[in-house]
Amino acid sequence: MGDKTVLLTGGAGYIGSHVALDLLQEGYEVIILDDLSKGFATAVTDCELVEGDTGNKNLLALLLGKRKVAAVMHFAGSTIVPESVEKPLRYYENNTVKSRNLVEVCVETGVKHFVFSSTAAVYGIPEAGQVTLQTPTEPVNPYGMSKLMTEIMLRDVSRVMPLKHAVLRYFNVAGADPEGRIGQSTPDSTLLIKVACEAALGKRAELYIYGTDYPTPDGTGVRDYIHVSDLAAAHVLAMQRLEAGCESTNLNCGYGNG
């Protein structure tokens, strides 16, 4: 326990479980905190699983303080964009309020490094079609806004506290562990590859393709996809960058092409 111990909130979910595999391979000790509302206990291998909620500050203090956790990777939260429009308060509770609790306990228990699972949805609908880190953050739905609010909290805390952070803004995540150990099993997921597979297998009645007037050959949208294993590796590298003494940073996670 100590400098090589990492807590993953939501680590039984799609992306978190892939990151856990990489951390274990790098020699870290991994503790996963997940309420299993979307994640699966079967996705957790060779690390401790604690069933619980990031809104439980007493549980957080116990895990972070007594276990001497050096770094937190925060994946827990709600991720379905249409649902965020229908139930905005749920998203601000799960993605913003509970994140605030987690950040506060991290500060109180002396956690040094914080890696945050954010989203390219913080950019909204940019006029240029492509984004850089200089693109203004203008979310158009509660999901993107709830993530941006947590980014801002981390920025402000890092200015006055010794908690350094890395924010990773994902584009479109696809794929699964190349060894077939885990994959995308999230109920009601809107990720295109999973939806397409379910439609092909008859588990969904249809597959919707959106867009008629994009500047593309057929008018439909073109997206930047990133393989989940590459995204997992990016999380580990971002944390190791903080461990090496670098300052807090924001990062876009995609390949830069459609």
Side-chain angles (χ1 to χ4, degrees):
M1 294 286 179
D3 290 344
K4 298 289 283 186
T5 302
V6 184
L7 175 71
L8 271 61
T9 70
Y14 176 40
I15 298 171
S17 60
H18 284 82
V19 174
L21 292 177
D22 276 18
L23 287 170
L24 291 169
Q25 186 172 334
E26 290 289 316
Y28 291 91
E29 184 162 2
V30 177
I31 303 170
I32 288 176
L33 174 63
D34 200 299
D35 66 4
L36 300 182
S37 61
K38 299 293 185 182
F40 298 87
T42 53
V44 178
T45 57
D46 299 321
C47 48
E48 180 181 356
L49 171 62
V50 177
E51 188 172 350
D53 194 287
T54 51
N56 187 336
K57 293 178 68 174
N58 290 332
L59 176 59
L60 291 173
L62 180 66
L63 288 175
L64 296 177
K66 291 191 176 181
R67 308 300 289 275
K68 297 182 179 178
V69 170
V72 168
M73 291 190 177
H74 184 30
F75 300 97
S78 301
T79 61
I80 309 299
V81 172
E83 182 185 59
S84 80
V85 177
E86 297 171 2
K87 302 173 182 177
L89 291 179
R90 173 183 294 182
Y91 275 69
Y92 289 119
E93 171 70 20
N94 288 343
N95 294 353
T96 309
V97 175
K98 292 182 180 180
S99 294
R100 182 226 175 261
N101 291 339
L102 178 61
V103 172
E104 181 177 40
V105 178
C106 284
V107 170
E108 292 173 346
T109 56
V111 173
K112 300 175 184 177
H113 308 124
F114 194 105
V115 179
F116 178 50
S117 166
S118 191
T119 171
V122 300
Y123 294 114
I125 306 175
E127 292 184 5
Q130 292 181 312
V131 303
T132 69
L133 288 171
Q134 286 69 49
T135 301
T137 49
E138 299 176 344
V140 295
N141 52 61
Y143 169 61
M145 184 61 76
S146 67
K147 290 286 191 174
L148 180 60
M149 291 171 74
T150 298
E151 287 191 18
I152 294 169
M153 280 193 289
L154 285 168
R155 180 200 67 191
D156 292 344
V157 169
S158 291
R159 285 174 175 171
V160 295
M161 300 290 182
L163 177 68
K164 300 302 179 185
H165 70 271
V167 167
L168 276 64
R169 296 169 175 167
Y170 313 161
F171 287 80
N172 299 271
V173 188
D177 171 49
E179 297 182 26
R181 293 169 289 182
I182 50 176
Q184 166 54 271
S185 300
T186 308
D188 302 319
S189 170
T190 56
L191 296 178
L192 177 61
I193 303 301
K194 181 173 186 285
V195 171
C197 289
E198 289 180 341
L201 292 169
K203 293 183 177 182
R204 289 177 184 253
E206 59 254 323
L207 168 65
Y208 291 98
I209 299 175
Y210 296 101
T212 58
D213 57 357
Y214 287 101
T216 60
D218 64 356
T220 61
V222 173
R223 298 289 181 262
D224 186 343
Y225 286 85
I226 180 170
H227 194 281
V228 67
S229 293
D230 288 339
L231 184 59
H235 282 80
V236 178
L237 290 171
M239 186 184 71
Q240 292 174 336
R241 183 181 186 276
L242 296 176
E243 290 175 338
C246 294
E247 293 300 310
S248 298
T249 187
N250 294 342
L251 301 167
N252 286 334
C253 293
Y255 297 142
N257 53 70

